[in-house]
Amino acid sequence: MNADNGRFPAKQHNPAATLTVDQVAENLSAFAIDRADIKSLLGTVPEGHPIDMNRLEYELAILKILSVGWGLAFFMPATDINKTPLTQTFWEQIREIANNVSTLTETTTGTRVDYFGILKERLDTFVQQMKEKQTKGADPTGVMGPVFANACGVPDDPMAILAGTKMFALTLAAVKEYLAAVKIENITIH
């Protein structure tokens, strides 16, 4: 599982090309919902392991989306004029995707699920737990694994801890690599 696994469509463009904020946000949101690396992580769970694989997959998908958002916050300098519009556009696209998921769920099950609300709720939980459990200077990936396992309902399961840690670390690394490789057209403020 690496960041070059074809998951960022912009890498197919000329590397010297400049992308708009919308194009970068679209690439990041497409990456955030891509399931190839999730399936890869699920494949590492030993057969017969008692973890609920559906729940693990569901939580990995949520963690990946949130990790892309964190990557934008962590790796784009506060002084970059594209940071706020890119972050806002990314989350607007995720909201649209989440609304589509909610509508599909309601259509197929008859029950309305607010998937974007679930994302926000999970983000709040992760942020709160990381604030409480992270010591000064500690690597947040070391905190994320156990917090993720708890979200999966198996707080002491080493496979869940490892899966959460890997998803968080690999997603952040991929976002960092992508942001370093792409040139974003500066927005014009009138």
Side-chain angles (χ1 to χ4, degrees):
M1 215 166 79
N2 67 39
D4 255 357
N5 205 10
R7 297 181 292 173
F8 279 116
K11 291 195 177 213
Q12 297 168 357
H13 295 197
N14 178 353
T18 301
L19 300 176
T20 65
V21 164
D22 288 343
Q23 289 170 318
V24 173
E26 185 177 312
N27 290 339
L28 287 167
S29 62
F31 169 67
I33 63 168
D34 182 85
R35 303 199 59 91
D37 48 358
I38 294 170
K39 296 294 184 188
S40 177
L41 277 174
L42 291 171
T44 65
V45 177
E47 192 172 319
H49 189 79
I51 195 165
D52 179 343
M53 295 297 283
N54 290 326
R55 185 161 182 188
L56 181 62
E57 181 175 5
Y58 175 79
E59 293 295 341
L60 284 170
I62 290 172
L63 179 58
K64 184 174 180 187
I65 291 168
L66 299 177
S67 297
V68 172
W70 278 324
L72 287 170
F74 291 154
F75 300 123
M76 287 190 80
T79 57
D80 188 328
I81 64 171
N82 292 316
K83 182 175 185 168
T84 299
L86 177 56
T87 302
Q88 183 176 0
T89 303
F90 168 76
W91 284 112
E92 287 169 0
Q93 290 179 1
I94 293 299
R95 178 186 295 273
E96 185 177 323
I97 292 165
N99 287 339
N100 291 339
V101 169
S102 296
T103 300
L104 179 62
T105 303
E106 184 175 19
T107 302
T108 57
T109 67
T111 304
R112 178 77 180 152
V113 175
D114 180 5
Y115 191 66
F116 194 73
I118 292 168
L119 290 170
K120 287 179 11 183
E121 190 177 290
R122 192 71 81 243
L123 176 62
D124 292 344
T125 300
F126 284 147
V127 169
Q128 177 186 353
Q129 290 296 309
M130 288 184 76
K131 283 180 182 176
E132 290 176 11
K133 296 179 185 211
Q134 186 172 358
T135 59
K136 186 173 176 123
D139 180 4
T141 57
V143 175
M144 183 51 67
V147 174
F148 173 80
N150 192 51
C152 290
V154 287
D156 298 319
D157 187 283
M159 290 306 301
I161 292 169
L162 181 60
T165 301
K166 286 181 94 171
M167 178 56 69
F168 185 68
L170 292 172
T171 301
L172 286 179
V175 171
K176 181 180 182 179
E177 180 183 327
Y178 177 72
L179 291 173
V182 70
K183 183 173 174 153
I184 304 172
E185 181 179 305
N186 284 335
I187 60 163
T188 305
I189 301 174
H190 299 283

PDB file of all heavy atoms in Angstrom, residues 59-80:
ATOM      1  N   GLU A  59     -15.398   1.609   9.753  1.00  0.00           N
ATOM      2  CA  GLU A  59     -14.599   2.556  10.542  1.00  0.00           C
ATOM      3  C   GLU A  59     -13.333   2.980   9.795  1.00  0.00           C
ATOM      4  O   GLU A  59     -12.899   4.124   9.911  1.00  0.00           O
ATOM      5  CB  GLU A  59     -14.253   1.974  11.908  1.00  0.00           C
ATOM      6  CG  GLU A  59     -15.451   1.779  12.818  1.00  0.00           C
ATOM      7  CD  GLU A  59     -16.156   3.067  13.228  1.00  0.00           C
ATOM      8  OE1 GLU A  59     -15.550   4.156  13.131  1.00  0.00           O
ATOM      9  OE2 GLU A  59     -17.326   2.980  13.643  1.00  0.00           O
ATOM     10  N   LEU A  60     -12.726   2.080   9.033  1.00  0.00           N
ATOM     11  CA  LEU A  60     -11.554   2.452   8.226  1.00  0.00           C
ATOM     12  C   LEU A  60     -11.932   3.497   7.183  1.00  0.00           C
ATOM     13  O   LEU A  60     -11.171   4.440   6.928  1.00  0.00           O
ATOM     14  CB  LEU A  60     -10.941   1.223   7.550  1.00  0.00           C
ATOM     15  CG  LEU A  60     -10.110   0.309   8.441  1.00  0.00           C
ATOM     16  CD1 LEU A  60      -9.773  -0.994   7.707  1.00  0.00           C
ATOM     17  CD2 LEU A  60      -8.834   0.996   8.922  1.00  0.00           C
ATOM     18  N   ALA A  61     -13.114   3.340   6.578  1.00  0.00           N
ATOM     19  CA  ALA A  61     -13.567   4.311   5.578  1.00  0.00           C
ATOM     20  C   ALA A  61     -13.739   5.687   6.209  1.00  0.00           C
ATOM     21  O   ALA A  61     -13.343   6.708   5.627  1.00  0.00           O
ATOM     22  CB  ALA A  61     -14.873   3.840   4.937  1.00  0.00           C
ATOM     23  N   ILE A  62     -14.318   5.729   7.401  1.00  0.00           N
ATOM     24  CA  ILE A  62     -14.479   7.000   8.108  1.00  0.00           C
ATOM     25  C   ILE A  62     -13.115   7.591   8.458  1.00  0.00           C
ATOM     26  O   ILE A  62     -12.865   8.783   8.231  1.00  0.00           O
ATOM     27  CB  ILE A  62     -15.345   6.805   9.380  1.00  0.00           C
ATOM     28  CG1 ILE A  62     -16.794   6.528   8.990  1.00  0.00           C
ATOM     29  CG2 ILE A  62     -15.241   8.015  10.314  1.00  0.00           C
ATOM     30  CD1 ILE A  62     -17.690   6.124  10.153  1.00  0.00           C
ATOM     31  N   LEU A  63     -12.245   6.762   9.010  1.00  0.00           N
ATOM     32  CA  LEU A  63     -10.918   7.243   9.406  1.00  0.00           C
ATOM     33  C   LEU A  63     -10.139   7.784   8.214  1.00  0.00           C
ATOM     34  O   LEU A  63      -9.452   8.809   8.323  1.00  0.00           O
ATOM     35  CB  LEU A  63     -10.125   6.130  10.101  1.00  0.00           C
ATOM     36  CG  LEU A  63      -8.709   6.505  10.547  1.00  0.00           C
ATOM     37  CD1 LEU A  63      -8.728   7.696  11.515  1.00  0.00           C
ATOM     38  CD2 LEU A  63      -8.024   5.297  11.171  1.00  0.00           C
ATOM     39  N   LYS A  64     -10.261   7.136   7.076  1.00  0.00           N
ATOM     40  CA  LYS A  64      -9.531   7.604   5.901  1.00  0.00           C
ATOM     41  C   LYS A  64     -10.006   8.994   5.482  1.00  0.00           C
ATOM     42  O   LYS A  64      -9.187   9.882   5.208  1.00  0.00           O
ATOM     43  CB  LYS A  64      -9.674   6.615   4.739  1.00  0.00           C
ATOM     44  CG  LYS A  64      -8.839   7.024   3.540  1.00  0.00           C
ATOM     45  CD  LYS A  64      -8.868   5.989   2.450  1.00  0.00           C
ATOM     46  CE  LYS A  64      -8.017   6.461   1.279  1.00  0.00           C
ATOM     47  NZ  LYS A  64      -8.142   5.573   0.129  1.00  0.00           N
ATOM     48  N   ILE A  65     -11.300   9.205   5.436  1.00  0.00           N
ATOM     49  CA  ILE A  65     -11.835  10.518   5.071  1.00  0.00           C
ATOM     50  C   ILE A  65     -11.326  11.576   6.048  1.00  0.00           C
ATOM     51  O   ILE A  65     -10.831  12.636   5.640  1.00  0.00           O
ATOM     52  CB  ILE A  65     -13.383  10.493   5.043  1.00  0.00           C
ATOM     53  CG1 ILE A  65     -13.887   9.632   3.878  1.00  0.00           C
ATOM     54  CG2 ILE A  65     -13.945  11.914   4.955  1.00  0.00           C
ATOM     55  CD1 ILE A  65     -15.373   9.308   3.937  1.00  0.00           C
ATOM     56  N   LEU A  66     -11.435  11.286   7.333  1.00  0.00           N
ATOM     57  CA  LEU A  66     -10.989  12.249   8.343  1.00  0.00           C
ATOM     58  C   LEU A  66      -9.490  12.498   8.260  1.00  0.00           C
ATOM     59  O   LEU A  66      -9.027  13.626   8.445  1.00  0.00           O
ATOM     60  CB  LEU A  66     -11.380  11.762   9.742  1.00  0.00           C
ATOM     61  CG  LEU A  66     -12.884  11.596   9.993  1.00  0.00           C
ATOM     62  CD1 LEU A  66     -13.135  11.050  11.395  1.00  0.00           C
ATOM     63  CD2 LEU A  66     -13.630  12.898   9.756  1.00  0.00           C
ATOM     64  N   SER A  67      -8.730  11.461   7.953  1.00  0.00           N
ATOM     65  CA  SER A  67      -7.273  11.599   7.855  1.00  0.00           C
ATOM     66  C   SER A  67      -6.865  12.494   6.694  1.00  0.00           C
ATOM     67  O   SER A  67      -5.882  13.239   6.797  1.00  0.00           O
ATOM     68  CB  SER A  67      -6.612  10.225   7.720  1.00  0.00           C
ATOM     69  OG  SER A  67      -6.857   9.448   8.877  1.00  0.00           O
ATOM     70  N   VAL A  68      -7.592  12.444   5.596  1.00  0.00           N
ATOM     71  CA  VAL A  68      -7.300  13.347   4.477  1.00  0.00           C
ATOM     72  C   VAL A  68      -7.532  14.784   4.930  1.00  0.00           C
ATOM     73  O   VAL A  68      -6.717  15.669   4.670  1.00  0.00           O
ATOM     74  CB  VAL A  68      -8.143  13.004   3.229  1.00  0.00           C
ATOM     75  CG1 VAL A  68      -7.963  14.068   2.145  1.00  0.00           C
ATOM     76  CG2 VAL A  68      -7.751  11.631   2.680  1.00  0.00           C
ATOM     77  N   GLY A  69      -8.626  15.017   5.630  1.00  0.00           N
ATOM     78  CA  GLY A  69      -8.889  16.356   6.161  1.00  0.00           C
ATOM     79  C   GLY A  69      -7.799  16.818   7.107  1.00  0.00           C
ATOM     80  O   GLY A  69      -7.348  17.966   7.042  1.00  0.00           O
ATOM     81  N   TRP A  70      -7.353  15.919   7.988  1.00  0.00           N
ATOM     82  CA  TRP A  70      -6.255  16.264   8.898  1.00  0.00           C
ATOM     83  C   TRP A  70      -4.979  16.552   8.125  1.00  0.00           C
ATOM     84  O   TRP A  70      -4.221  17.447   8.474  1.00  0.00           O
ATOM     85  CB  TRP A  70      -5.997  15.134   9.890  1.00  0.00           C
ATOM     86  CG  TRP A  70      -6.909  15.117  11.065  1.00  0.00           C
ATOM     87  CD1 TRP A  70      -7.420  16.205  11.729  1.00  0.00           C
ATOM     88  CD2 TRP A  70      -7.440  13.976  11.705  1.00  0.00           C
ATOM     89  NE1 TRP A  70      -8.223  15.790  12.749  1.00  0.00           N
ATOM     90  CE2 TRP A  70      -8.258  14.417  12.758  1.00  0.00           C
ATOM     91  CE3 TRP A  70      -7.306  12.606  11.503  1.00  0.00           C
ATOM     92  CZ2 TRP A  70      -8.930  13.549  13.608  1.00  0.00           C
ATOM     93  CZ3 TRP A  70      -7.970  11.750  12.338  1.00  0.00           C
ATOM     94  CH2 TRP A  70      -8.776  12.212  13.373  1.00  0.00           C
ATOM     95  N   GLY A  71      -4.755  15.776   7.072  1.00  0.00           N
ATOM     96  CA  GLY A  71      -3.555  16.001   6.258  1.00  0.00           C
ATOM     97  C   GLY A  71      -3.518  17.408   5.685  1.00  0.00           C
ATOM     98  O   GLY A  71      -2.467  18.050   5.654  1.00  0.00           O
ATOM     99  N   LEU A  72      -4.661  17.886   5.225  1.00  0.00           N
ATOM    100  CA  LEU A  72      -4.727  19.266   4.727  1.00  0.00           C
ATOM    101  C   LEU A  72      -4.356  20.251   5.833  1.00  0.00           C
ATOM    102  O   LEU A  72      -3.596  21.193   5.617  1.00  0.00           O
ATOM    103  CB  LEU A  72      -6.122  19.591   4.204  1.00  0.00           C
ATOM    104  CG  LEU A  72      -6.505  18.962   2.875  1.00  0.00           C
ATOM    105  CD1 LEU A  72      -7.988  19.174   2.589  1.00  0.00           C
ATOM    106  CD2 LEU A  72      -5.662  19.533   1.769  1.00  0.00           C
ATOM    107  N   ALA A  73      -4.888  20.026   7.017  1.00  0.00           N
ATOM    108  CA  ALA A  73      -4.603  20.918   8.142  1.00  0.00           C
ATOM    109  C   ALA A  73      -3.141  20.846   8.559  1.00  0.00           C
ATOM    110  O   ALA A  73      -2.514  21.871   8.846  1.00  0.00           O
ATOM    111  CB  ALA A  73      -5.509  20.570   9.321  1.00  0.00           C
ATOM    112  N   PHE A  74      -2.566  19.653   8.572  1.00  0.00           N
ATOM    113  CA  PHE A  74      -1.192  19.464   9.038  1.00  0.00           C
ATOM    114  C   PHE A  74      -0.143  19.934   8.036  1.00  0.00           C
ATOM    115  O   PHE A  74       0.869  20.501   8.417  1.00  0.00           O
ATOM    116  CB  PHE A  74      -0.906  17.990   9.329  1.00  0.00           C
ATOM    117  CG  PHE A  74      -1.621  17.417  10.513  1.00  0.00           C
ATOM    118  CD1 PHE A  74      -1.889  16.059  10.560  1.00  0.00           C
ATOM    119  CD2 PHE A  74      -2.034  18.191  11.587  1.00  0.00           C
ATOM    120  CE1 PHE A  74      -2.547  15.497  11.644  1.00  0.00           C
ATOM    121  CE2 PHE A  74      -2.686  17.649  12.672  1.00  0.00           C
ATOM    122  CZ  PHE A  74      -2.939  16.288  12.706  1.00  0.00           C
ATOM    123  N   PHE A  75      -0.371  19.667   6.754  1.00  0.00           N
ATOM    124  CA  PHE A  75       0.711  19.818   5.790  1.00  0.00           C
ATOM    125  C   PHE A  75       0.648  21.067   4.927  1.00  0.00           C
ATOM    126  O   PHE A  75       1.601  21.351   4.207  1.00  0.00           O
ATOM    127  CB  PHE A  75       0.803  18.574   4.902  1.00  0.00           C
ATOM    128  CG  PHE A  75       1.069  17.329   5.700  1.00  0.00           C
ATOM    129  CD1 PHE A  75       0.214  16.250   5.629  1.00  0.00           C
ATOM    130  CD2 PHE A  75       2.165  17.245   6.537  1.00  0.00           C
ATOM    131  CE1 PHE A  75       0.450  15.096   6.370  1.00  0.00           C
ATOM    132  CE2 PHE A  75       2.421  16.097   7.284  1.00  0.00           C
ATOM    133  CZ  PHE A  75       1.563  15.027   7.199  1.00  0.00           C
ATOM    134  N   MET A  76      -0.444  21.794   4.981  1.00  0.00           N
ATOM    135  CA  MET A  76      -0.490  23.053   4.242  1.00  0.00           C
ATOM    136  C   MET A  76      -0.172  24.188   5.209  1.00  0.00           C
ATOM    137  O   MET A  76      -0.804  24.291   6.267  1.00  0.00           O
ATOM    138  CB  MET A  76      -1.852  23.280   3.593  1.00  0.00           C
ATOM    139  CG  MET A  76      -2.095  22.377   2.404  1.00  0.00           C
ATOM    140  SD  MET A  76      -3.567  22.856   1.466  1.00  0.00           S
ATOM    141  CE  MET A  76      -2.916  24.216   0.501  1.00  0.00           C
ATOM    142  N   PRO A  77       0.796  25.029   4.872  1.00  0.00           N
ATOM    143  CA  PRO A  77       1.139  26.131   5.776  1.00  0.00           C
ATOM    144  C   PRO A  77      -0.053  27.073   5.968  1.00  0.00           C
ATOM    145  O   PRO A  77      -0.830  27.309   5.046  1.00  0.00           O
ATOM    146  CB  PRO A  77       2.276  26.853   5.068  1.00  0.00           C
ATOM    147  CG  PRO A  77       2.695  25.992   3.934  1.00  0.00           C
ATOM    148  CD  PRO A  77       1.598  25.014   3.661  1.00  0.00           C
ATOM    149  N   ALA A  78      -0.167  27.613   7.158  1.00  0.00           N
ATOM    150  CA  ALA A  78      -1.257  28.541   7.465  1.00  0.00           C
ATOM    151  C   ALA A  78      -1.217  29.759   6.553  1.00  0.00           C
ATOM    152  O   ALA A  78      -2.245  30.370   6.275  1.00  0.00           O
ATOM    153  CB  ALA A  78      -1.188  28.965   8.927  1.00  0.00           C
ATOM    154  N   THR A  79      -0.045  30.083   6.043  1.00  0.00           N
ATOM    155  CA  THR A  79       0.113  31.256   5.183  1.00  0.00           C
ATOM    156  C   THR A  79      -0.252  30.986   3.728  1.00  0.00           C
ATOM    157  O   THR A  79      -0.313  31.921   2.933  1.00  0.00           O
ATOM    158  CB  THR A  79       1.564  31.766   5.247  1.00  0.00           C
ATOM    159  OG1 THR A  79       2.436  30.690   4.875  1.00  0.00           O
ATOM    160  CG2 THR A  79       1.914  32.262   6.647  1.00  0.00           C
ATOM    161  N   ASP A  80      -0.501  29.739   3.363  1.00  0.00           N
ATOM    162  CA  ASP A  80      -0.849  29.398   1.985  1.00  0.00           C
ATOM    163  C   ASP A  80      -2.269  29.900   1.704  1.00  0.00           C
ATOM    164  O   ASP A  80      -3.227  29.454   2.348  1.00  0.00           O
ATOM    165  CB  ASP A  80      -0.760  27.885   1.782  1.00  0.00           C
ATOM    166  CG  ASP A  80      -0.923  27.454   0.339  1.00  0.00           C
ATOM    167  OD1 ASP A  80      -1.663  28.125  -0.418  1.00  0.00           O
ATOM    168  OD2 ASP A  80      -0.325  26.433  -0.030  1.00  0.00           O
TER     169      ASP A  80
END
